[in-house]
Amino acid sequence: MDSLTQVILGAAVGEAVLGRRLGNRAMLWGGLAGTLPDLDVLSGLVTDPMSALAYHRAFTHSLPFAVLAAPVLGLTAHRLYGKPPAPAIPAPLFYGLMALALWLLVLTGSWLMPLEVYRLPAIAAVVTLAFASMCGVVGAWVAMRGPERRGPNAGLLPWTALFFAAIVTHPLLDCFTAYGTQLLQPVTALRVAWNTVSVVDPLYTLPFLLLLILAARRGRGTRVRRRLNTAGLLVSSAYLLLTVANWFNVQAVVDGTLRDRKITATRHVHGPTLGNNLLWSATVQVAEDSFYVGQYSVLDAQRQLLPFTGLPANHDLLAPYAGDRELEILRWFTQGYYMVLPAGGGEFTLSDLRYGALGDDPLDPAAYLFTWRIDTTVRPVRVREGERPSFSGEDNPLTAIWTRLRGR
């Protein structure tokens, strides 16, 4: 989900693990750990767009990363809040070694990934540098307070448990989204996506944030603080369970629509539209080169996908370029749910159909969240980002979503 939500989740998990001993410091480090996986978005600064696409929600969002990174970060925090150690390992050298260990971890795990990603050392460096900078700000603040005001420390194992819990809950939450995450990297590039919640959902985030703020204002270790933080975790988890139930509800609607229209589907995917869990989109593949897209609101009078429109996939247009690296990354990313349209001059548009169309015209490439232009005048083909929906002006897709989710 969005980074704010992940920071909130990480902070709440940090409080649950070590809040009784560390107070707001547990929230602070939990929030930092919760944002660490999403620093992979910085890969776009140092590598090509297709590598950045393949790298996002990859190794830093995996279970192995959470297991291996937690001891490194736990040791760092334990040293930061501990008594001044013997001068055998000066602080700058120690923290430099910890940063090097994190860089090597990110680099090694990324290098083992099945997908071909360029400039991995630079990607690992920018992720490590960004996180080390955030930790450095906290470390400088702790140093300025002096040893007598640092507060109680926790043992190495509790610190490790905090970082593991805050990191691992990040990709687990992402699994509920339609975008998904590569939870088992570097073993496999399989994207785990349960499609039950939007990547931005205020009904999940805002109550969670409010309860976390209320908890942070209470004294360390108090019963009311613990109960408020627990309430935030329970309310957010209950909402996720509600979205799972809604997924099965919409599954029945999709099956009913296909049965009533006598359509045999080879596969389909459905998930909530942006920012809500009421309006859902569905993409149904009925043949190798044919899809249907439709929408259903929980508030609809009929349990049917409306509208329900057929689309040509036109996959054959790009068949001569099969095997080209950038095109293969797009096929992997879209999981085969894509539509190709001629764009003139030897170019084609490729639109990801998994999230449904945001505009009124499903044949308009700009109606989709992810669209790319494929230049076939060069070999291997070159891919660049295409036009995306504009969330401003008279034709704001959010207005259309709001209108449609109120039901027909």
Side-chain angles (χ1 to χ4, degrees), residues 345-360:
E347 291 193 346
F348 299 89
T349 60
L350 188 152
S351 300
D352 191 339
L353 302 178
R354 292 174 298 160
Y355 308 99
L358 294 180
D360 295 329

Side-chain angles (χ1 to χ4, degrees), residues 18-272:
L18 276 181
R20 184 187 292 268
R21 297 178 63 178
L22 302 179
N24 286 342
R25 287 178 295 159
M27 287 189 180
L28 172 63
W29 285 104
L32 285 176
T35 200
L36 171 57
D38 271 348
L39 294 179
D40 61 3
V41 299
L42 300 176
S43 60
L45 299 175
V46 294
T47 190
D48 64 283
M50 287 300 101
S51 290
L53 181 68
Y55 194 77
H56 184 42
R57 294 195 180 180
F59 178 65
T60 61
H61 284 71
S62 69
L63 293 178
F65 177 77
V67 171
L68 297 173
V72 175
L73 302 180
L75 181 59
T76 304
H78 179 64
R79 162 74 183 255
L80 178 63
Y81 290 101
K83 295 179 180 179
I89 307 179
L93 176 59
F94 175 82
Y95 296 126
L97 289 175
M98 293 300 99
L100 177 61
L102 181 61
W103 177 77
L104 288 173
L105 170 60
V106 175
L107 175 61
T108 303
S110 304
W111 180 74
L112 292 173
M113 286 171 48
L115 295 172
E116 186 179 13
V117 176
Y118 295 159
R119 302 199 67 192
L120 285 175
I123 292 175
V126 74
V127 170
T128 302
L129 180 61
F131 189 69
S133 298
M134 291 190 293
C135 294
V137 172
V138 178
W141 178 72
V142 171
M144 287 189 296
R145 289 173 61 88
E148 67 283 354
R149 299 180 61 191
R150 291 180 183 178
N153 195 6
L156 175 58
L157 288 180
W159 272 116
T160 300
L162 181 150
F163 282 108
F164 172 76
I167 293 173
V168 79
T169 50
H170 181 128
L172 288 177
L173 178 58
D174 281 341
C175 286
F176 285 89
T177 68
Y179 195 99
T181 189
Q182 299 172 60
L183 191 64
L184 301 178
Q185 281 282 10
V187 178
T188 174
L190 173 69
R191 185 177 292 272
V192 180
W194 298 326
N195 300 326
T196 74
V197 68
S198 172
V199 293
V200 177
D201 192 328
L203 285 182
Y204 177 89
T205 304
L206 294 181
F208 204 173
L209 174 61
L210 175 62
L211 289 166
L212 183 68
I213 293 174
L214 292 175
R217 294 173 61 86
R218 302 292 179 169
R220 172 169 60 91
T222 60
R223 179 179 299 179
V224 66
R225 178 187 177 101
R226 185 170 64 254
R227 288 182 174 178
L228 285 168
N229 189 68
T230 301
L233 290 168
L234 290 177
V235 168
S236 60
S237 298
Y239 182 76
L240 282 182
L241 290 177
L242 178 63
T243 67
V244 172
N246 208 11
W247 185 94
F248 283 103
N249 172 49
V250 178
Q251 170 74 60
V253 172
V254 175
D255 291 341
T257 301
L258 296 177
R259 183 174 56 252
D260 293 346
R261 300 193 179 217
K262 297 179 172 56
I263 295 175
T264 300
T266 58
R267 59 176 184 155
H268 76 272
V269 61
H270 62 278

